[in-house]
Amino acid sequence: MAIHFHTLTGCAPTPLASYLKALGILRLISEQADKKARGAWRNESLILATSLTDTQLMDFFLKQYAPTPLISPWNRGSGFLSQKDKAATYLEKMENSPLPRLKVYQKGIQAARSISLFKQLQDTANKKKEFEQLKPRYIEECRRKWRGKHLQWLETAVILQADGTMSWPSLLGTGGNDGRLDFTDNFRQRFAQLFDLSDENAPVPTKTCDLLSHALFGNAVLGTGDYAIGQYSPGAAGGANSSDGLDGKANVNPWDFILFFEGTILFASAASRRLKTGLSGSGSAPFALMAQPAGHPSSSTEDKAMRGEQWMPLWHQFSSLNEIRALLGEGRAQLGRSSTRDPVEMARAVARLGTTRGILAFERFGYLERNGQANFAIPLGRRQVCSQPHQNLLNDLDEWLVRLHRKSRGKECIHSLVTAVKNLNEAILAATADAALPLRWQNILIAVADIDQIAEKGGLDTKDPSGNKVKGTVLRDLSPGWIAASDDGSPEFRLSVALACQYRIRRHWLPLNKFGRLDDAGAPSVVCHGRNLIADCIAFINRRLIESSARASRAFDQTPARQNLCADLRDIAVFLQGGTDHHRLLRLARAFMALDIKALGEKDTPLSRPKGPIIIDDAFTLFRLCLLPEHQKGEIPVRADIFRRLSSGDMPAAVRLAAMHLRAHGITSPLQRAAGNARLLAASLAFPLSRFSHKLLIHEFSIENTITNKELEKHES
């Protein structure tokens, strides 16, 4: 048997109506014409592989196609509950039509009327309260007694939970209607426009053939009309700014409407009980997720997307209807042992190959309010299913992200936190799409730092059931792999790592207790506020000097987690020359303070190194030797008054005192006077140096050659 490949250029992955139309065509061909038909997405079109020729394919839809009984007798606008409106007229035409192709549809209508509660539902149609109470009972009775194609529609349009409650998948509005637009009534109207329902021998109108050719192959055609299409094709829905005038009419092909509703049948929600329900109604339908205003250009913190999102799978290999049913029946992606709940988790699963079944990509649709209060299925971009590096690092954020999202959705959440969480979600989505760029991971860390600053001001605080204030939780114990993932080789990056990877440094920016959690008891140690790098570095050293004066040893604590994470003298030189972005450096440093300091000390963490000759600033050397931390084990005691003179901007006095101090301990400084930015020089002392860098500084002020060529070559390598 010959196989014919049809490129259905009228069926593209976007808009949603076009995607669903492709599924509807494949479903109808497989169920009613060729059981061995296959379909695949290639070159932005559905390729249909079937034994039908072009002519046979057209003839099937024009002469044999039997519409699925899409009936929603539980909706007021469906035609079942009134005998006087337009919907009832078209329902009667379908029910009494002699066309053989409508026999299955007519059985569905009879099944709806045969339910014992149907007459009672009709009688209460104009009594809102009684009707709403009876409606769930009627739907549940239909679910138990219906058999056949009309049951598939019910399972697609309504989600019946295990406890008997109902919810509505976003794909089909609220049980087969969207406001006053009843989908099943419009389905019947479009079918009646294409075919003569009163005469089974009537020839198929030429207009119907032309419209079908347009729907399948995208051929130009006249005859599309101003019909309602709902949320499925925003560009064809009409309205303000939709044409060359102030207002435009809808432009809908009746075949498109019929075929894309036939495609919705594949999204039956019966198998989706395995998903994590309880978060939203949309969370129980295949690949349906909670809404997150992130990852697309039109996203906003004010977005109203109560219907959530749905990610539609695209596959490259030819697949049968049963294979596609299995894919959509499973309807989920895995992230570890859990099913995904929101777009961020879904994107992470895609980046980690958490989806299988041969999916090539996902087309992301958001059910958003646009054009007033109208809901549209907006295409939000495509996600390729491919493995991305460093994705396990995002596991460090899991529990914290859940709490953070819950807090940001609360009614009392401050706007700055909502914005910060949106920026974090944007950064994570970008990192799952192109994780090879260190900047992607830096953006996540910077977003974390911004949330830390909100936490320091109480923006993450909550209340317990008794109304008492409870401190929020900050992110901590990040794995060392974040350093390698975000290493872009810049001086700002290396200096931020050096500043952050000092023991117990984070408590100077956040009120933390000894367990690393937010606690007001730790407030006295908070001297840095995250607004100015120079001011924060000076405040940090001043605080450590005060703490050192309380110790018997008077040791100045600036201990790094590991020697290779200390600052390089070449980066210090760039910093002193004003060649670094202070704002970025500080935000990165604040994020790196969340690293697991114990894990950093146990395992060697690779870090890029600057190239070129080592440049040593004499003024920096002078003050660094007067402020040696305890891990350097130097014999020169710390002079706090020298640093305070320097940090106050009194460079001449600070230089004079520092030179006298070194001379008293056997080191003659070649520098007696200096000029420059005293506070910048003071801030540079906040970056710890390795033991080798310390030897280089001693060598700079020493007559003897204290550094061998072998040591220098080893350091450079």
Side-chain angles (χ1 to χ4, degrees):
M1 182 182 295
I3 301 297
H4 301 274
F5 295 89
H6 306 281
T7 301
L8 304 182
T9 51
C11 302
T14 59
L16 181 58
S18 182
Y19 176 88
L20 294 173
K21 178 174 62 172
L23 298 189
I25 292 170
L26 178 58
R27 182 180 78 83
L28 294 171
I29 293 295
S30 299
E31 290 181 350
Q32 300 182 23
D34 178 13
K35 294 182 179 180
K36 296 183 179 181
R38 300 286 190 274
W41 291 99
R42 296 181 183 178
N43 299 322
E44 299 300 299
S45 299
L46 181 76
I47 309 298
L48 180 66
T50 175
S51 60
L52 303 181
T53 64
D54 286 349
T55 303
Q56 290 171 332
L57 181 64
M58 293 285 290
D59 285 346
F60 164 74
F61 284 106
L62 295 173
K63 300 176 182 178
Q64 302 170 33
Y65 155 58
T68 303
L70 308 184
I71 53 173
S72 304
W74 50 83
N75 289 334
R76 287 191 181 92
S78 64
F80 281 88
L81 305 181
S82 174
Q83 302 299 321
K84 300 178 181 179
D85 58 13
K86 186 177 180 180
T89 302
Y90 279 96
L91 178 64
E92 184 180 358
K93 288 182 179 180
M94 294 284 278
E95 189 173 15
N96 298 325
S97 173
L99 270 62
R101 62 168 64 184
L102 292 179
K103 290 188 179 299
V104 175
Y105 199 100
Q106 291 164 352
K107 286 182 180 179
I109 297 174
Q110 295 165 10
R113 300 188 191 280
S114 67
I115 300 298
S116 58
L117 293 175
F118 178 74
K119 185 65 172 64
Q120 190 176 349
L121 193 71
Q122 274 187 319
D123 295 339
T124 60
N126 296 321
K127 302 174 184 178
K128 185 175 181 181
K129 186 175 181 180
E130 295 179 24
F131 179 81
E132 294 300 330
Q133 290 176 344
L134 185 62
K135 182 177 175 177
R137 292 171 51 198
Y138 176 78
I139 293 176
E140 189 174 356
E141 190 75 7
C142 291
R143 178 67 183 84
R144 284 200 299 266
K145 293 186 176 180
W146 279 5
R147 297 293 181 270
K149 300 293 184 182
H150 44 290
L151 176 60
Q152 293 181 8
W153 166 253
L154 186 150
E155 291 180 337
T156 305
V158 182
I159 298 172
L160 288 174
Q161 308 289 4
D163 59 359
T165 59
M166 294 186 309
S167 56
W168 318 111
S170 301
L171 184 66
L172 290 168
T174 52
N177 69 293
D178 190 1
R180 294 183 179 180
L181 176 64
D182 188 280
F183 300 141
T184 60
D185 171 46
N186 276 265
F187 181 89
R188 290 188 288 270
Q189 290 185 39
R190 302 293 82 78
F191 191 86
Q193 287 172 336
L194 296 173
F195 300 100
D196 186 347
L197 300 183
S198 62
D199 184 3
E200 62 178 297
N201 297 316
V204 178
T206 303
K207 178 180 175 181
T208 299
C209 300
D210 294 340
L211 289 171
L212 177 62
S213 178
H214 173 265
L216 297 180
F217 305 109
N219 298 332
V221 67
L222 296 175
T224 56
D226 183 12
Y227 313 126
I229 196 171
Q231 63 184 354
Y232 303 95
S233 183
N241 300 319
S242 62
S243 71
D244 54 0
L246 296 177
D247 200 16
K249 296 182 179 180
N251 183 23
V252 179
N253 183 338
W255 272 113
D256 286 348
F257 194 97
I258 289 171
L259 293 174
F260 80 67
F261 268 106
E262 291 284 6
T264 62
I265 298 298
L266 291 176
F267 287 83
S269 55
S272 64
R273 291 190 299 270
R274 292 186 293 272
L275 286 170
K276 291 186 176 180
T277 57
L279 297 172
S280 67
S282 63
S284 299
F287 296 114
L289 308 163
M290 296 175 64
Q292 273 181 343
H296 56 96
S298 66
S299 63
S300 166
T301 55
E302 303 298 327
D303 242 339
K304 295 180 180 180
M306 299 303 293
R307 293 188 180 181
E309 295 186 10
Q310 200 155 10
W311 291 39
M312 300 303 186
L314 304 175
W315 54 93
H316 190 260
Q317 300 297 325
F318 282 96
S319 304
S320 66
L321 178 64
N322 288 336
E323 290 170 331
I324 296 169
R325 280 191 191 278
L327 168 65
L328 297 176
E330 182 72 12
R332 61 177 177 175
Q334 289 291 119
L335 185 61
R337 296 183 178 181
S338 303
S339 298
T340 55
R341 297 166 293 187
D342 55 49
V344 167
E345 290 186 355
M346 183 70 175
R348 290 174 57 191
V350 170
R352 294 173 56 178
L353 296 182
T355 56
T356 55
R357 310 291 181 110
I359 298 176
L360 174 69
F362 282 93
E363 198 69 47
R364 180 186 177 192
F365 292 93
Y367 300 102
L368 310 177
E369 282 192 6
R370 294 290 189 269
N371 193 22
Q373 293 185 332
N375 285 282
F376 285 143
I378 308 295
L380 303 180
R382 184 174 300 177
R383 284 275 164 167
Q384 299 295 327
V385 178
C386 59
S387 181
Q388 295 285 348
H390 311 302
Q391 293 301 309
N392 288 336
L393 295 177
L394 294 173
N395 294 345
D396 297 344
L397 312 182
D398 281 346
E399 294 183 9
W400 178 72
L401 267 180
V402 171
R403 293 191 295 268
L404 193 64
H405 287 153
R406 188 185 304 122
K407 174 68 177 177
S408 67
R409 289 192 294 267
K411 294 182 180 179
E412 298 180 359
C413 180
I414 59 177
H415 189 267
S416 60
L417 179 61
V418 175
T419 302
V421 171
K422 178 183 180 299
N423 292 339
L424 176 61
N425 289 335
E426 294 271 12
I428 294 175
L429 287 169
T432 58
D434 188 7
L437 289 177
L439 185 61
R440 302 297 190 200
W441 300 96
Q442 287 189 22
N443 287 339
I444 295 176
L445 293 170
I446 287 172
V448 168
D450 291 342
I451 294 171
D452 273 359
Q453 198 157 359
I454 295 171
E456 192 261 333
K457 298 175 182 177
L460 296 183
D461 295 351
T462 56
K463 292 182 180 180
D464 61 17
S466 303
N468 300 318
K469 180 181 175 182
V470 178
K471 298 295 288 185
T473 305
V474 294
L475 181 63
R476 57 196 182 97
D477 296 335
L478 292 178
S479 60
W482 283 91
I483 294 179
S486 55
D487 190 349
D488 63 352
S490 66
E492 290 89 350
F493 171 79
R494 289 188 293 267
L495 288 174
S496 67
V497 171
L499 179 62
C501 295
Q502 301 178 61
Y503 282 97
R504 303 177 67 237
I505 189 173
R506 200 181 190 192
R507 62 191 175 90
H508 298 303
W509 273 265
L510 291 172
L512 302 176
N513 58 24
K514 63 180 180 179
F515 302 107
R517 299 186 178 92
L518 290 175
D519 191 339
D520 288 335
S525 294
V526 178
V527 293
C528 307
H529 304 291
R531 291 188 291 269
N532 184 286
L533 175 66
I534 303 300
D536 281 2
C537 287
I538 290 173
F540 158 64
I541 296 177
N542 269 322
R543 180 65 190 179
R544 287 293 173 98
L545 287 171
I546 292 172
E547 292 176 355
S548 68
S549 65
R551 301 190 187 99
S553 63
R554 295 189 175 273
F556 174 59
D557 183 14
Q558 205 178 1
T559 309
R562 203 171 184 86
Q563 287 291 307
N564 74 306
L565 299 179
C566 291
D568 192 286
L569 289 173
R570 286 164 287 198
D571 289 332
I572 296 289
V574 174
F575 179 80
L576 291 173
Q577 293 165 9
T580 55
D581 183 342
H582 290 184
H583 183 60
R584 177 165 168 257
L585 195 161
L586 179 57
R587 293 169 81 191
L588 282 173
R590 290 205 62 177
F592 282 127
M593 290 174 193
L595 289 168
D596 187 342
I597 201 76
K598 184 178 179 182
L600 282 173
E602 293 174 349
K603 185 178 180 181
D604 188 22
T605 303
L607 188 68
S608 64
R609 284 296 170 193
K611 305 296 182 182
I614 297 176
I615 302 173
I616 300 176
D617 185 277
D618 286 341
F620 173 79
T621 303
L622 177 67
F623 293 111
R624 181 77 271 184
L625 293 179
C626 293
L627 200 70
L628 288 178
E630 60 180 331
H631 73 276
Q632 297 290 5
K633 299 179 181 179
E635 297 179 356
I636 305 172
V638 171
R639 282 281 300 272
D641 60 327
I642 296 175
F643 177 78
R644 293 193 177 104
R645 290 274 187 154
L646 181 65
S647 61
S648 67
D650 191 355
M651 178 76 86
V655 171
R656 185 176 66 255
L657 289 174
M660 291 171 56
H661 183 59
L662 291 184
R663 189 161 52 249
H665 291 85
I667 297 178
T668 301
S669 169
L671 188 68
Q672 299 301 321
R673 293 184 181 181
N677 191 331
R679 287 179 60 80
L680 182 66
L681 191 57
S684 68
L685 302 177
F687 304 104
L689 298 179
S690 65
R691 295 189 182 93
F692 178 81
S693 295
H694 173 238
K695 289 185 71 175
L696 277 176
L697 296 183
I698 296 291
H699 174 73
E700 187 71 10
F701 276 11
S702 175
I703 299 175
E704 299 178 3
N705 188 11
T706 57
I707 300 292
T708 65
N709 291 332
K710 187 175 181 181
E711 286 179 304
L712 191 60
E713 290 174 2
K714 183 179 179 181
H715 175 74
E716 289 301 312
S717 64

